[in-house]
Amino acid sequence: MEKPERMLVFWSDFIAGCVGGSAGIFVGYPLDTIKVRQQTCHSFVLRPTILLTATDTFAKEGTKAFFRGMAFPLYSEGFRSSLFFGLYGKLLGTERSTRDHSCLSIAVAAGVAGGIQGVAATPIELVKVNLQSPNGSSLYRGPVDCLQKLYAAHGTRGIFRGLNVTVLREVPSLSIYMVTYECLCHYMRIGTRDNLSLPAELLAGGLAGVLSWSINIPVDVVKTRLQSDNPSSPKYSGILDCARKSCREEGFRVLFRGLTATCVRAFPTNAVTLVVYSKCLRLLQDQGRDD
């Protein structure tokens, strides 16, 4: 194999991850906006359902509100997915088969890759949460302006606010995500030499996304609240303080706020992300070997 072909195979996970992550954003961004607004609502009396949040957002801000700040995550999710899938692929081996790896090895590889990706994701998540919040349009002109203002006011620590809780979310979430997806694909492939059908791959990706988000939604609620908190006069001093105060003021159910919207969003988003990633990866590696 010549050097250009070796390079193509080496970078195939990074490229495929970028394409898959960007594709997934198109599918689920409006529901992600609804989820963030549900989680940042501090009303105890009025429970913010998907329909109530969506109609209220539309009535006050119009259709554009559901897509506010989408350009930034479109590019940034490509970067995040490239980093995660690239590291994940290298940890498992570039040309791999799930039959050669245990669930534990898949979980460890995904967890390590997820933890590293979580560090890079923290400023991205911070900007996204602030832009999607109800006051985002009045405070910031866009993602760059948001990042500049946060950095000017609070420095490097300001743009990495929520680092610990982001990593805490990413490590178990992505471990569950990839173990579920890889194992479902493996077991559905038993008894056949053919590649999985497109519906089967979409089902595996969608179920993996729903399961990983369902388990980690309480951490996501805390992360969203910490990152949308006023850094000049914060309401919460940390992860446990945020969880404790939120439960005391709004009940234990607040930790599962946005779960329905998250699951509705997670199935198509992750189905598309993982199918595009796997198809693109297979294409790039076949191209590298053929050349």
Side-chain angles (χ1 to χ4, degrees):
M1 190 183 294
E2 299 297 326
K3 187 175 180 180
E5 286 71 42
R6 288 201 304 269
M7 291 296 291
L8 179 62
V9 172
F10 179 85
W11 289 105
S12 58
D13 278 286
F14 292 93
I15 298 169
C18 178
V19 176
S22 298
I25 283 293
F26 280 109
V27 180
Y29 195 79
L31 277 165
D32 189 60
T33 298
I34 292 172
K35 180 208 73 170
V36 168
R37 294 197 173 203
Q38 284 183 297
Q39 292 177 344
T40 54
C41 175
H42 294 276
S43 172
F44 177 76
V45 178
L46 188 61
R47 185 166 174 262
T49 63
I50 294 178
L51 182 60
L52 182 63
T53 305
T55 53
D56 184 65
T57 300
F58 179 77
K60 292 179 178 177
E61 303 168 66
T63 306
K64 288 184 178 180
F66 295 101
F67 298 92
R68 184 174 297 132
M70 181 176 171
F72 181 67
L74 185 61
Y75 295 113
S76 61
E77 187 60 35
F79 165 72
R80 288 175 58 176
S81 294
S82 175
L83 181 61
F84 169 71
F85 283 112
L87 292 171
Y88 172 74
K90 294 299 157 280
L91 288 167
L92 283 183
T94 302
E95 297 186 59
R96 61 189 182 278
S97 168
T98 55
R99 285 167 290 190
D100 300 328
H101 298 283
S102 65
C103 289
L104 179 61
S105 63
I106 294 170
V108 170
V112 172
I116 296 171
Q117 183 262 161
V119 176
T122 301
I124 296 169
E125 287 280 315
L126 181 65
V127 170
K128 181 177 75 69
V129 165
N130 279 274
L131 288 176
Q132 288 177 318
S133 66
N135 296 324
S137 59
S138 60
L139 293 174
Y140 310 109
R141 295 193 302 271
V144 176
D145 181 58
C146 178
L147 200 59
Q148 287 176 338
K149 286 181 177 177
L150 290 171
Y151 180 78
H154 308 286
T156 304
R157 290 188 65 181
I159 62 173
F160 279 92
R161 189 168 80 250
L163 172 62
N164 292 340
V165 72
T166 302
V167 173
L168 183 63
R169 184 192 69 175
E170 296 296 278
V171 172
S173 175
L174 289 170
S175 293
I176 295 166
Y177 183 49
M178 293 312 300
V179 167
T180 304
Y181 175 70
E182 299 274 27
C183 291
L184 280 174
C185 287
H186 171 65
Y187 287 116
M188 286 193 288
R189 200 180 289 118
I190 290 177
T192 176
R193 295 183 178 181
D194 299 328
N195 291 324
L196 282 182
S197 65
L198 180 60
E201 280 196 81
L202 288 169
L203 178 63
L207 291 176
V210 170
L211 180 61
S212 65
W213 274 106
S214 297
I215 293 173
N216 283 281
I217 192 68
V219 182
D220 186 59
V221 171
V222 172
K223 182 201 75 70
T224 300
R225 291 194 164 205
L226 284 173
Q227 291 192 314
S228 62
D229 198 11
N230 185 352
S232 299
S233 56
K235 179 179 180 180
Y236 310 113
S237 61
I239 298 172
L240 292 178
D241 183 59
C242 178
R244 187 166 49 248
K245 285 181 179 176
S246 296
C247 288
R248 185 170 62 242
E249 294 170 3
E250 302 169 64
F252 182 74
R253 291 179 65 181
V254 70
L255 294 179
F256 295 89
R257 184 172 291 169
L259 176 61
T260 304
T262 297
C263 291
V264 171
R265 165 188 170 270
F267 192 96
T269 298
N270 290 284
V272 169
T273 296
L274 285 169
V275 166
V276 172
Y277 159 71
S278 62
K279 298 291 186 188
C280 188
L281 178 65
R282 198 174 300 129
L283 177 66
L284 290 169
Q285 292 185 343
D286 287 347
Q287 184 69 29
R289 285 192 293 266
D290 291 344
D291 292 342

